[in-house]
Amino acid sequence: MLTLYSPDNTKLMEIEALERRGNDLLIKGKVFGAMPMTARLSPAEARKGLRLLNFKLVLFLLTFLLR
């Protein structure tokens, strides 16, 4: 299970599964530990997300799992 935290270290979302549905990515989990939620990420939105990356952030992400 993957947990996303807020800046004050409270749980925002517990991700329980990633699934493919057609060309979309479904993210299933619970928000605030109680409310079930399924979020859908489309290829177009994922491409928009790539615009948020800069060179320094890409370098950081390449080493992120090794820290």
Side-chain angles (χ1 to χ4, degrees):
M1 185 177 330
L2 172 69
T3 305
L4 300 177
Y5 295 94
S6 69
D8 66 353
N9 211 27
T10 57
K11 285 186 183 180
L12 289 178
M13 183 176 185
E14 295 174 347
I15 298 173
E16 299 167 351
L18 298 174
E19 298 175 5
R20 179 182 174 186
R21 181 170 298 161
N23 286 331
D24 293 339
L25 178 67
L26 297 182
I27 304 164
K28 294 184 176 189
K30 291 183 180 177
V31 179
F32 300 114
M35 186 171 38
M37 182 192 76
T38 300
R40 182 180 57 88
L41 180 64
S42 68
E45 292 300 316
R47 285 189 295 274
K48 287 181 187 177
L50 290 176
R51 295 182 196 151
L52 299 173
L53 299 176
N54 59 39
F55 182 72
K56 289 175 80 173
L57 188 54
V58 169
L59 288 177
F60 170 75
L61 291 173
L62 289 173
T63 63
F64 187 63
L65 296 177
L66 303 173
R67 294 173 184 258

